[in-house]
Amino acid sequence: MADQPKTAEPGRARLSPRKKQQVSRTIQYVVLIAALVAVVLYADWASLAQNFAKPDVARQALPDLFTIALRNTIIYTVGGFVFSFVLGLLLALMRLSQVRPYRWIAVVYIEIFRGLPALLIFLMITFLPLALPGFAVPFGTYGQGILGLGLVGAAYQAEVFRAGLQAVPKGQTEAARSLGMSATRAQVTVVIPQAIRMVIPPTTNQFVALLKDSSLVLFLGVSGEYVELAKFGNDLASQYANATPIMVAGVTYLIVTIPLGYLASRLEGRKGRNR
Amino acid sequence: MTVHAIELRDLHKYFGKNEVLKGIDMTVEQGQVVCVIGPSGSGKSTLLRCVNLLEAPTRGKVFVEGVEVTDPDVDIDAVRRRIGMVFQQFNLFPHMTALQNVMIAQQRVLKRSKREAEVVARDNLDKVGVGAKCDSLPGQLSGGQQQRVAIARALAMNPSLMLFDEPTSALDPELVGDVLTVMRKLAEEGMTMLVVTHEMGFARQVADRVVFMDGGVIVEDGAPAQVIGDPRHERTRAFLHRVLHPEE
Ligand SMILES: Nc1ncnc2c1ncn2[C@@H]1O[C@H](COP(=O)(O)OP(=O)(O)OP(=O)(O)O)[C@@H](O)[C@H]1O
Ligand SMILES: [Mg+2]
């Protein structure tokens, strides 16, 4: 094979693979530069800056951007996260239970809440008082937001935990049982702690997803001291008829989400090395 | 009538349609060391795991110190507390230090105080020669050290008998000796031991009896000098030949 003479066979490309790669790359650069030139020439930079990055409007966002909006975003997210962590673990254990009805309940829950848009859940929560007269979600808007995020997050977190629980080798349970631990005791002392360690990276990603979904609190009709970043940005933007506050809110999200994303992939990498 | 440490009566085990144990009758007396040998897939692990009910026998009875553990009313956790088990893959809890590995079941199962559990754990870790590794995680220990921690973990529960499932098979050859030394010491102290092993030297020197299994049945059961030195059955002879002369 290697010693075949280099005559051009019919039907074969005339360019060597290396040459072809060069041509392809040159074309990609040309397209990119053309696109950039078009954007620079045709975009109305003054108008864009005026609408999306107006310094004096941005200044209006302070200090409430941090003291109210970011604070509330964190409250909703952390609350929803804790809720989804606990419910997710419970669902995962039910999903893997020997008792068939528990498995059914968990499967139904997980499928429904992963299959519906999170927004729909939030809209339903606003109708809870109508459906259940006399019932109020505790802690007002905070409670409603945390409930919505928790219910949705639990379905995803349950799948994360299920993968973690299944990844703990069977020998671990056997060792625990052979020491006289009951099935429950073995789960609690041996299996669950290991599962939780394993799922730290995907759980960090879950946290980031919840942080972004906390913007759906907007649809609970919150106001005043309850607003989180998205609602805060949207309200200010309407007030000044200018999109700058939404940009500011966006940047604030990124300040939190990007480092967390890096953290998750670092943790993932470290886990990979330890294996 | 003396109470047998272990008694198996017509033990059958199926995995689905696959009959892995085909009627095992066997006893282990108090203080005896019995080694089980046999080719891969002959059912040695399954036999061992039926003793502490990690596998539920399909048919037949298992008695441990006179108590029928296959009786559905028996408290299996209580039975397992008295049976130490050592696995081929060690199965230490990787999120706990060596010391915690040896303490946890004492605290959670035997309800010993933390202090008492720690004293017992240190004693047993010293005994198996890994006392200096108390604060190491299993991942930081060699295979031989991990297996010795696993033995200490079982011993800390004060078992009246011990099951070993190929305890040295996952070890590098130079680490096998340390583990066998510990097991030999245990045997000398009078521990009742049922050991699945390929270590013929150990079986010859330490065992009171050697049981050869093949195809889910016991083919030969007798003194080590007889079963290993002068096997009666052709299957035993062929197996021993393969184990003792693997290069041929
Ligand atoms: N949990 C299980 N489910 C289905 N089949 C099993 C299971 N455990 C063991 N078996 C089968 O039972 C047979 C005996 O297995 P066992 O592990 O007892 O053999 P062994 O003598 O210990 O072999 P080895 O020397 O390889 O450890 C094998 O054919 C195995 O495939
Ligand atoms: Mg085996």
Side-chain angles (χ1 to χ4, degrees), chain B residues 44-45 88 165-166 196:
Chain B
K44 307 180 299 293
S45 298
Q88 183 175 350
D165 191 358
E166 301 198 32
V196 174

Side-chain angles (χ1 to χ4, degrees), chain A residues 96 161-174 176 186-187 189-199 275, chain B residues 91-95:
Chain A
L96 299 173
F161 274 133
R162 179 166 73 111
L165 289 166
Q166 285 178 324
V168 177
K170 232 177 109 223
Q172 290 291 310
T173 312
E174 291 180 351
Q187 281 281 322
T189 24
V190 174
V191 179
I192 293 174
Q194 289 182 58
I196 289 179
R197 258 157 248 244
M198 276 191 243
V199 301
R275 294 245 122 196
Chain B
N91 293 347
L92 289 180
F93 307 134
H95 58 302

